[in-house]
């Protein structure tokens, strides 16, 4: 399926966006600012970080071809802790755990 947009559609969109800078990533302009209280924003940011860390561990484990048990063995960690890191956004791993994972992924 191919979507085609007319020149008029693009011009109307440009008029709606005005002088807003179009970007991506951390410096992207958010046209609808977050209206949540500061505490809720901070909580959301912490959860996003934990989700990202869990997904990163999962990605690196699969990229290295490790099973959960094999990564636990190589990193000298408990497999149940790795499972929680990958699946539970409320879990906060110990600094030693993060260090061991970083060491393992750097060496593998």
């Amino acid at each position: 399926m191919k979507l085609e947009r007319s020149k008029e559609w693009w011009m109307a969109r440009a008029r709606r966006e005005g002088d807003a800078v179009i970007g991506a990533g951390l410096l992207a302009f958010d046209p609808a600012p977050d209206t949540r209280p500061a505490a809720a924003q901070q909580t959301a940011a912490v959860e996003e970080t934990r989700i990202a860390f869990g997904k990163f561990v999962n990605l690196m484990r699969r990229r290295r071809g490790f099973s959960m048990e094999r990564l636990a063995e190589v990193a000298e960690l408990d497999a149940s802790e790795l499972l929680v890191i990958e699946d539970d956004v409320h879990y906060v791993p110990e600094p030693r755990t993060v260090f061991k994972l970083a060491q393992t992924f750097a060496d593998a």
Side-chain angles (χ1 to χ4, degrees):
M1 183 169 125
K2 186 175 182 181
L3 293 176
E4 299 215 12
R5 305 281 191 230
S6 68
K7 182 177 179 181
E8 292 78 24
W9 186 89
W10 288 108
M11 295 305 290
R13 183 174 179 148
R15 281 191 295 276
R16 269 195 324 267
E17 292 172 354
D19 293 333
V21 177
I22 306 300
L26 295 175
L27 300 177
F29 172 72
D30 185 3
D34 199 350
T35 57
R36 293 179 291 181
Q41 289 177 5
Q42 186 175 6
T43 301
V46 168
E47 284 186 359
E48 288 173 6
T49 302
R50 291 181 188 152
I51 291 169
F53 182 69
K55 290 198 179 295
F56 173 77
V57 170
N58 181 280
L59 175 70
M60 292 299 289
R61 177 178 60 79
R62 291 183 305 141
R63 196 175 271 180
R64 300 289 195 268
F66 290 155
S67 66
M68 193 78 66
E69 293 80 17
R70 178 70 180 138
L71 177 58
E73 180 184 317
V74 171
E76 300 172 358
L77 297 170
D78 190 44
S80 63
E81 184 176 22
L82 292 175
L83 180 65
V84 173
I85 287 171
E86 289 187 10
D87 293 336
D88 185 5
V89 299
H90 301 292
Y91 180 73
V92 180
E94 294 293 321
R96 176 194 174 275
T97 302
V98 176
F99 176 76
K100 290 298 233 175
L101 287 170
Q103 207 173 30
T104 301
F105 293 143
D107 293 342

